[in-house]
Amino acid sequence: MDTEKTKCLIIGSGPAGYTAAIYASRANHSPILYEGLQPGGQLTTTSEVENFPGYPNGVMGAQLMEELRQQAVRFGADCRPGIIGEVDFSKRPFRCTTLDGDVIEASTVIVATGASAKYLGLPDEQRFSGMGVSACATCDGFFYRNRVVAVVGGGDTACEEAYYLSTLAKKVYLIVRKDYLRASHVMRQRVMDKENIEVLFNTNTTGLFGNEFLEGAHLVEYAGTDKERHFDIDIDGFFLAIGHKPNTDIFKGQLTLDESGYIVLFNNTQATNVPGVFAAGDVADSRYQQAVAAAGSGCRAALDADKFLMENE
């Protein structure tokens, strides 16, 4: 088991982690960054990103993340594949252990582990994972050209994914448990105006069915009322778009989390309850969850870590 020391360890990549690495490198802290289960974060699973500053014609998500990574490496960041599986924030230097058993002793830590898509919790979701069930339309939409798919959710993400899939699939069902869409006016209008999108309001998914591959979904409309109706739809793909869960399991009991599991920040900074540990990106942002906001918080976290190091070492 190897042990090494660093002034700044960054856990997670994506716009928050890579931006933190850029700033920490430029402050001459030679940060080590572990990229986690999904190097580059959620943006690597998107298609074109149109709202990140500096790209007037848009940019592919994977390209944007690779360019941020290259910028961090250029300034001296040590960006590594691998996952931090255990942390000890009880004293400094903080001890963080990878799944391979390597130990990093860090004077400061920036947590940028992001968030993961939520699932409904249906037993058949796992059974059909990769065989019809997906949490990323832009990743897997290509496989459903001229086929029938369903998207679950009523917010902007669900509407965006339904609209994207409507450009590929023959038909898209949008399954919404409420009687309205929570999405922005623009996205609501896009969905309602698209001829091959059918919105199923007041509807919940109770199960999925099929043999080797997904073939359909069991639905209930107006559950628990005198209008309750059970019916099935034949679909080839089932896409989840019902929100995200922050990747904070390894920090429970050490960092203060809110009721949804997001890291709580203090004093209008990126500081956590543990001095010397900072958080950035979606892992500490239940509201905005945008790439540019994550990048900005990565900058703030690195500046906070730099200030902490100057004052304590």
Side-chain angles (χ1 to χ4, degrees):
M1 183 171 63
D2 297 329
T3 300
E4 60 182 310
K5 300 179 184 296
T6 182
K7 289 185 178 180
C8 180
L9 172 66
I10 301 169
I11 305 175
S13 46
Y18 287 144
T19 302
I22 291 169
Y23 275 79
S25 297
R26 287 173 58 85
N28 202 34
H29 296 315
S30 302
I32 295 173
L33 181 150
Y34 275 90
E35 294 179 309
L37 188 63
Q38 188 176 54
Q42 294 182 73
L43 275 191
T44 59
T45 67
T46 66
S47 53
E48 189 172 21
V49 178
E50 297 180 317
N51 55 4
F52 199 90
Y55 293 90
N57 298 315
V59 60
M60 299 302 288
Q63 178 188 342
L64 175 59
M65 288 302 95
E66 179 56 28
E67 290 178 356
L68 281 176
R69 185 185 191 280
Q70 290 176 7
Q71 191 173 358
V73 171
R74 174 193 167 203
F75 290 118
D78 183 353
C79 296
R80 305 176 178 179
I83 300 172
I84 298 294
E86 184 179 346
V87 297
D88 181 359
F89 294 155
S90 62
K91 61 181 180 180
R92 295 180 61 242
F94 307 116
R95 287 176 60 87
C96 302
T97 308
T98 71
L99 293 184
D100 293 330
D102 296 328
V103 176
I104 309 294
E105 292 189 346
S107 300
T108 61
V109 172
I110 296 174
V111 177
T113 48
S116 300
K118 289 182 179 178
Y119 285 77
L120 294 173
L122 303 174
D124 292 327
E125 282 177 319
Q126 295 305 315
R127 176 187 169 197
F128 292 113
S129 179
M131 294 181 289
V133 172
S134 171
C136 179
T138 52
C139 309
D140 301 325
F142 174 82
F143 300 109
Y144 299 93
R145 288 181 179 273
N146 300 314
R147 304 175 82 175
V148 180
V149 301
V151 176
V152 179
D156 276 322
T157 298
C159 288
E160 287 169 5
E161 299 218 340
Y163 188 81
Y164 170 75
L165 288 167
S166 73
T167 66
L168 301 169
K170 178 171 60 177
K171 181 180 179 65
V172 179
Y173 291 103
L174 181 57
I175 303 170
V176 185
R177 64 185 178 90
K178 296 184 178 180
D179 60 357
Y180 62 91
L181 292 170
R182 294 181 290 104
S184 63
H185 174 74
V186 171
M187 289 311 305
R188 290 200 307 267
Q189 202 61 47
R190 283 185 184 178
V191 165
M192 300 306 292
D193 289 347
K194 202 70 164 61
E195 291 183 358
N196 64 334
I197 297 178
E198 180 179 348
V199 183
L200 303 176
F201 289 109
N202 299 297
T203 302
N204 290 285
T205 307
T206 58
L208 304 172
F209 62 88
N211 292 315
E212 183 179 356
F213 295 93
L214 177 69
E215 296 176 15
H218 301 302
L219 306 180
V220 57
E221 184 182 32
Y222 295 109
T225 73
D226 56 3
K227 295 192 292 183
E228 181 172 307
R229 179 175 73 96
H230 294 261
F231 63 102
D232 294 344
I233 56 173
D234 295 326
I235 54 173
D236 304 295
F238 185 77
F239 292 85
L240 284 304
I242 55 174
H244 292 81
K245 174 184 179 297
N247 299 320
T248 53
D249 286 349
I250 67 169
F251 308 114
K252 289 179 179 177
Q254 302 200 57
L255 298 182
T256 300
L257 310 178
D258 69 13
E259 59 184 10
S260 298
Y262 289 90
I263 295 175
V264 176
L265 303 178
F266 293 87
N267 301 321
N268 197 32
T269 68
Q270 302 302 129
T272 70
N273 60 298
V274 177
V277 178
F278 307 89
D282 288 1
V283 74
D285 176 13
S286 62
R287 180 172 181 175
Y288 298 106
Q289 297 190 334
Q290 296 293 309
V292 66
S297 68
C299 161
R300 288 164 53 104
L303 294 176
D304 288 340
D306 179 55
K307 184 174 186 294
F308 180 88
L309 287 169
M310 287 192 294
E311 293 175 349
N312 290 275
E313 293 192 352

